[in-house]
Amino acid sequence: QVQLVESGGGLVQAGGSLRLSCAASGRTFSNYYMGWFRQTPGKEREFAAAISRGAYNTYYADSVKGRFTISRDNAKNTVYLQMNSLKPEDTAVYYCNAVQPGTRVAIWRDWGQGTQVTVSS
């Protein structure tokens, strides 16, 4: 059973930055593309960013491209999301999961508790 623990969220003013972390266990982390997703109340969870197994390739939703940077440390089984130039519309609960390569689809059934990001205007 995979376990995902997200952290690093908080309250920040528009234009500010946050760095999210997600520690994964229960799977061979380096075997998977990893991604970040986000969800706001009443809406479906949406893809934000993904990174290939060896971190050679990254993928972003248009809404975050140029502002967010995904990275990973396979030795620590951790994926990160550096979020800069934050906007109020980035307010959401952020989750990580493995991603099917070439898609924006999460693989693992289990999700972590997520980390809340709130951007004030």
Side-chain angles (χ1 to χ4, degrees):
Q1 181 178 358
V2 66
Q3 291 187 327
L4 300 164
V5 180
E6 298 92 349
S7 62
L11 173 63
V12 64
Q13 288 187 334
S17 299
L18 284 173
R19 188 191 192 212
L20 307 184
S21 300
C22 171
S25 61
R27 293 286 190 278
T28 304
F29 182 79
S30 58
N31 285 351
Y32 295 91
Y33 280 53
M34 292 298 297
W36 284 93
F37 299 79
R38 62 187 186 182
Q39 188 172 27
T40 54
K43 292 189 176 182
E44 290 191 0
R45 197 170 287 158
E46 65 174 13
F47 168 85
I51 187 167
S52 60
R53 299 179 189 91
Y56 297 112
N57 296 299
T58 56
Y59 312 87
Y60 298 95
D62 288 344
S63 58
V64 307
K65 197 174 295 182
R67 301 186 298 119
F68 290 11
T69 302
I70 188 171
S71 61
R72 66 190 295 163
D73 185 338
N74 286 341
K76 294 182 178 180
N77 291 353
T78 301
V79 60
Y80 305 97
L81 188 67
Q82 177 67 43
M83 306 187 296
N84 298 329
S85 302
L86 281 161
K87 303 175 181 180
E89 50 264 43
D90 294 318
T91 296
V93 179
Y94 285 71
Y95 303 86
C96 70
N97 205 304
V99 175
Q100 181 68 36
T103 77
R104 299 181 173 197
V105 178
I107 291 176
W108 295 329
R109 177 191 64 187
D110 297 318
W111 293 83
Q113 83 289 348
T115 186
Q116 175 71 50
V117 171
T118 303
V119 185
S120 63
S121 57

